[in-house]
Amino acid sequence: DTGVSQDPRHKITKRGQNVTFRCDPISEHNRLYWYRQTLGQGPEFLTYFQNEAQLEKSRLLSDRFSAERPKGSFSTLEIQRTEQGDSAMYLCASPRPHRGGADEQFFGPGTRLTVL
Amino acid sequence: AQSVAQPEDQVNVAEGNPLTVKCTYSVSGNPYLFWYVQYPNRGLQFLLKYITGDNLVKGSYGFEAEFNKSQTSFHLKKPSALVSDSALYFCAVRGFTGNQFYFGTGTSLTVIP
């Protein structure tokens, strides 16, 4: 257990529906990452928060995707009008800060999304 | 562009033999390099990282990695493999600027009893 929790662990939805995932990071870590992992691939960066500020977003993050981190604590990732191509494991990571940025990432167990 | 490559999808090694999982990187400036492991039905776990200094980095579970700047490689090694080392291994890099981490496609390691 890394101390990072994600909810739900599994989500099955129909194409066109909206889904929302939650991540609770390690409380003393002020940074938070969202990644997407598909079968046979490594995690792909989606977005990054420092406290409540969303500082970077990947080009993978279309306008159907939105992420928030109110008050710099938990974070949510919402996908609107889901498509079958959105089926993947969505990972949250809570980095242990390191001066210079060589952060060790603590990953949550992920939310597996299946879009039918 | 910053990236890592893991040229082997699958590595098989006999228990007790040394193992190597390969990783090469492409990054502007000095890289921060990482190895993570993913056991079946479990999340990714940090193994070790290279920032600067000694080219041989020691990490968790007896793993080590060798940074080679001239070959732009960061291979993961272990002197004696255990069956319990069987898992998916990911190399990752963070460039000197920016906040993004880039992961390789992973190498599935199977240690044969």
Side-chain angles (χ1 to χ4, degrees):
Chain A
D1 183 6
T2 61
V4 181
S5 60
Q6 292 187 244
D7 183 70
R9 296 290 302 274
H10 302 273
K11 179 69 177 180
I12 300 174
T13 191
K14 293 182 179 179
R15 189 176 54 186
Q17 298 295 306
N18 299 345
V19 294
T20 300
F21 311 140
R22 176 180 170 125
C23 170
D24 286 272
I26 297 170
S27 58
E28 59 266 30
H29 293 181
N30 61 359
R31 302 180 190 179
L32 185 148
Y33 285 78
W34 282 100
Y35 292 88
R36 181 171 66 189
Q37 186 178 19
T38 54
L39 197 63
Q41 299 295 320
E44 296 173 296
F45 169 82
L46 291 179
T47 190
Y48 160 71
F49 287 86
Q50 181 152 334
N51 298 313
E52 67 276 9
Q54 188 176 18
L55 297 184
E56 285 191 43
K57 291 195 295 185
S58 166
R59 289 172 295 172
L60 294 174
L61 214 64
S62 76
D63 56 6
R64 297 185 297 107
F65 287 71
S66 62
E68 294 181 341
R69 194 181 181 199
K71 302 179 183 178
S73 55
F74 70 92
S75 178
T76 58
L77 178 68
E78 180 183 15
I79 309 174
Q80 296 182 325
R81 306 180 302 282
T82 53
E83 302 173 356
Q84 288 183 326
D86 297 332
S87 296
M89 178 75 85
Y90 290 85
L91 299 170
C92 174
S94 176
R96 173 187 290 164
H98 184 280
R99 190 175 55 204
D103 305 343
E104 303 163 19
Q105 306 242 0
F106 290 81
F107 282 87
T111 295
R112 182 169 295 283
L113 173 66
T114 301
V115 182
L116 303 176
Chain B
Q2 298 170 122
S3 64
V4 292
Q6 294 181 243
E8 300 160 319
D9 292 335
Q10 174 82 38
V11 170
N12 296 325
V13 64
E15 185 177 23
N17 282 2
L19 70 87
T20 299
V21 182
K22 296 179 181 178
C23 172
T24 58
Y25 67 89
S26 174
V27 67
S28 303
N30 296 320
Y32 296 148
L33 293 157
F34 305 81
W35 276 102
Y36 287 84
V37 60
Q38 190 170 36
Y39 296 103
N41 299 316
R42 295 178 65 179
L44 280 152
Q45 297 177 31
F46 168 79
L47 271 182
L48 51 80
K49 67 180 176 183
Y50 171 82
I51 306 172
T52 186
D54 194 348
N55 290 340
L56 187 64
V57 179
K58 294 188 183 298
S60 306
Y61 312 120
F63 283 92
E64 56 191 25
E66 186 170 10
F67 172 69
N68 188 317
K69 189 172 183 177
S70 63
Q71 297 185 3
T72 61
S73 67
F74 189 56
H75 300 332
L76 182 71
K77 300 182 179 184
K78 188 172 183 181
S80 179
L82 301 173
V83 172
S84 57
D85 293 330
S86 298
L88 197 54
Y89 290 82
F90 291 94
C91 181
V93 66
R94 175 178 174 167
F96 193 65
T97 59
N99 295 299
Q100 296 192 25
F101 291 80
Y102 299 87
F103 285 77
T105 52
T107 298
S108 179
L109 172 69
T110 300
V111 181
I112 302 164

